[in-house]
Amino acid sequence: KLHRKAAHRLLNLCRENGGVYIKVGQHLANLDYLIPQEYIEVMSTLFDDTPQSSYENVCRVIEEDLNGRVEDLFDRFDPKPIASASLAQVHVAFDKKTGRKLAVKVQHRGLRETSAGDIFTVT
């Protein structure tokens, strides 16, 4: 019971801090040979329940990274991601010039700014 309670507290910490912390939590979920089973069960939820950035934030990241608006860069851009993970998510888009279907991977907003400090904290 104590392990499960502590595992939920750790899970909440990972979710609240996002990014690298979710990645660390996912890694912990794979350490079944080292940590109690309660941690494995609770932390494994981080594989299926990852954060999704809003379409507004996705557009802002694209504008900052590619120096152009989504409407100017792509003929179509699906606002709903086809996949989301701890550090980024993937959207389907169509190239404005060629019409080619693309998978556009977009980092979650703020990750660039916080990841160096997060990595320093967990090492």
Side-chain angles (χ1 to χ4, degrees):
K1 189 172 179 177
L2 181 62
H3 284 308
R4 186 163 302 281
K5 182 178 180 180
H8 278 286
R9 290 183 70 193
L10 183 58
L11 175 67
N12 290 336
L13 178 137
C14 292
R15 285 191 173 144
E16 285 177 26
N17 289 290
V20 173
Y21 291 91
I22 291 176
K23 206 42 123 180
V24 169
Q26 290 171 337
H27 180 66
L28 290 172
N30 287 317
L31 297 177
D32 58 344
Y33 59 91
L34 188 62
I35 62 177
Q37 186 62 32
E38 292 87 350
Y39 283 87
I40 304 305
E41 292 168 5
V42 171
M43 300 308 284
S44 290
T45 63
L46 291 172
F47 290 117
D48 300 324
D49 187 20
T50 55
Q52 285 191 6
S53 293
S54 69
Y55 182 61
E56 177 184 302
N57 282 336
V58 167
C59 291
R60 290 176 69 188
V61 169
I62 289 172
E63 288 174 17
E64 291 167 5
D65 290 351
L66 301 179
N67 297 317
R69 296 178 333 144
V70 170
E71 307 82 45
D72 299 332
L73 297 168
F74 305 102
D75 188 39
R76 288 184 309 198
F77 189 94
D78 191 345
K80 184 177 179 186
I82 58 171
S84 183
S86 56
L87 306 177
Q89 61 192 45
V90 178
H91 293 262
V92 173
F94 292 85
D95 186 89
K96 191 103 170 168
K97 295 177 184 172
T98 65
R100 220 167 119 198
K101 186 177 183 179
L102 306 169
V104 180
K105 188 174 185 178
V106 182
Q107 270 190 349
H108 295 301
R109 183 161 181 75
L111 186 64
R112 186 182 313 120
E113 294 79 11
T114 61
S115 61
D118 291 346
I119 291 170
F120 178 76
T121 301
V122 298
T123 56

